[in-house]
Amino acid sequence: MLSFILDILSVPAVLIGLVSMIGLIAQKKGLSDILKGSIKTIMGVLILGGGAGLAVAALTHFGTMFQHGFGINGVVPHNEAIVGMALKEFGTQTALIMAFGMVANILIARFTPLKFIFLTGHHTLYMACMIGIILTVGGFEGVTLVAIGSILLGFVMAFFPAIAHPTMKKITGSDDVGFGHFSTLGYVFSAWVGSLVGNKERSTEDINFPQSLAFLRDSSLAVSLVMLVLFLIVALACGPQYVETELSGGQNFLVFSLIQAITFAGGVYVILAGVRLILAEIVPAFTGIATTLVPNAKPAIDCPVVYPYAPNAVLIGFLSSFVGGVVGMAVLLLADKSFPGLPIILPGVVPHFFCGATAGVFGNATGGLRGCIAGAFAQGLLITFLPVFLMPVLGNLGFANTTFSDADFGAVGIILGNVIHMLK
């Protein structure tokens, strides 16, 4: 039964489809409307996931080429990798904390001012897993572990969308949709930095290209060209032999770089299409839940929900965040001379894309182009340094060559681990 529950709750498409179905049933819609809304919602999430898969595949090649080409070894933050390792030992704790944590989220949204239902299923799984690890390492077990973990998970599922919502309203221009992704501290930090250094009236979307470069207004084309430049740099650093023998299956390394760059841009295009389909279905369906079970509740949806509102900020934010990650890595390499054994956090291209792109949109909302660049750069530094302090509280998993990547995991894990340590 636990395995079945975990299978349902850890598949975002099924989870959000069920929420859509419950909302439509609560509105007493006809069978045809319920089927159409539920299936289209699931389809939108699957389309988004397919696009993310394309983008991640291309970024994985980029990360491998970056590490080999520049000869740098260290810890690569990657949520899926660390959770995959942890579930072998902490699977039961994770399933129970996740199931009861979602119930806690609904109760908190019902009886407190935090009116957000967190719908990003895979991030719920990851946070439940991390909380379970830290509580177990801290000596908790049984009912106590599940109770504390569930309440904490339910709280963060409502709290982080709440602190993101003021900026979210600026981005979307409405109060209908919340934001549900556990790197919210990085996005709020980006928005704050953006408000200090920028001018929101000079948006990334108002960039005036010369007539000869007007074609760059097509965001898919702009993403393709920028990624092609980046891929060519790391491909030349690796050399053709490595790329063609280890990655491309014999395909010319320059052709391989071209294909991967355009694959990445295609993935982003598909992500945006999926987001539009999800929003068209989930917001009306969620009205049923908001008006019956949890009055005035808002669905908190994954980070690509903001991408269509500022496509230029998505690309600029990714690049700025990645630069922040490289700068942070350089600082750690220098600090390692004074503090031997310090983890060297490499810039994971996947978190820097998804988190950096989102940070760029948040920074743009409060500070325009300058806010986008500075905010995403600051967020890139944040997700580089937080894992350094998170790893010691993860027990044996803290010595793995990967760790949790996003800001909220770092903050929650560091606070929880140190509070447990002080109470011992």
Side-chain angles (χ1 to χ4, degrees), residues 21 31 66 83 162 178 191 231 247 265 297 308 354 374 385 415 420:
M21 179 184 292
L31 179 61
F66 178 87
V83 169
F231 264 103
L247 299 176
F354 287 103
F385 292 119
I415 293 171
I420 292 173

Side-chain angles (χ1 to χ4, degrees), residues 36 45 59-61 72 88 102-103 110 125 136 147 194 207 219 240 252 276 281 285 290 301 342 371 379 388 397:
K36 183 185 78 169
V45 179
L59 290 175
T60 300
H61 287 308
I72 301 172
K88 297 175 184 177
M102 295 184 72
V103 174
R110 176 68 178 83
L125 170 68
T136 302
I207 295 174
S219 60
N252 181 274
R276 293 186 182 99
E281 299 299 331
I301 303 176
L342 191 70
Q379 185 273 159
V388 174
L397 282 173

Side-chain angles (χ1 to χ4, degrees), residues 123-173:
H123 260 224
T124 306
L125 170 68
Y126 301 162
M127 184 63 81
C129 182
M130 188 195 71
I131 291 171
I133 293 168
I134 295 173
L135 289 174
T136 302
V137 170
F140 291 88
E141 58 185 17
V143 174
T144 304
L145 182 149
V146 174
I148 294 174
S150 301
I151 293 170
L152 178 57
L153 177 61
F155 172 74
V156 299
M157 290 170 73
F159 173 74
F160 285 118
I163 65 172
H165 201 59
T167 309
M168 195 58 186
K169 288 190 288 187
K170 295 179 182 178
I171 293 169
T172 63

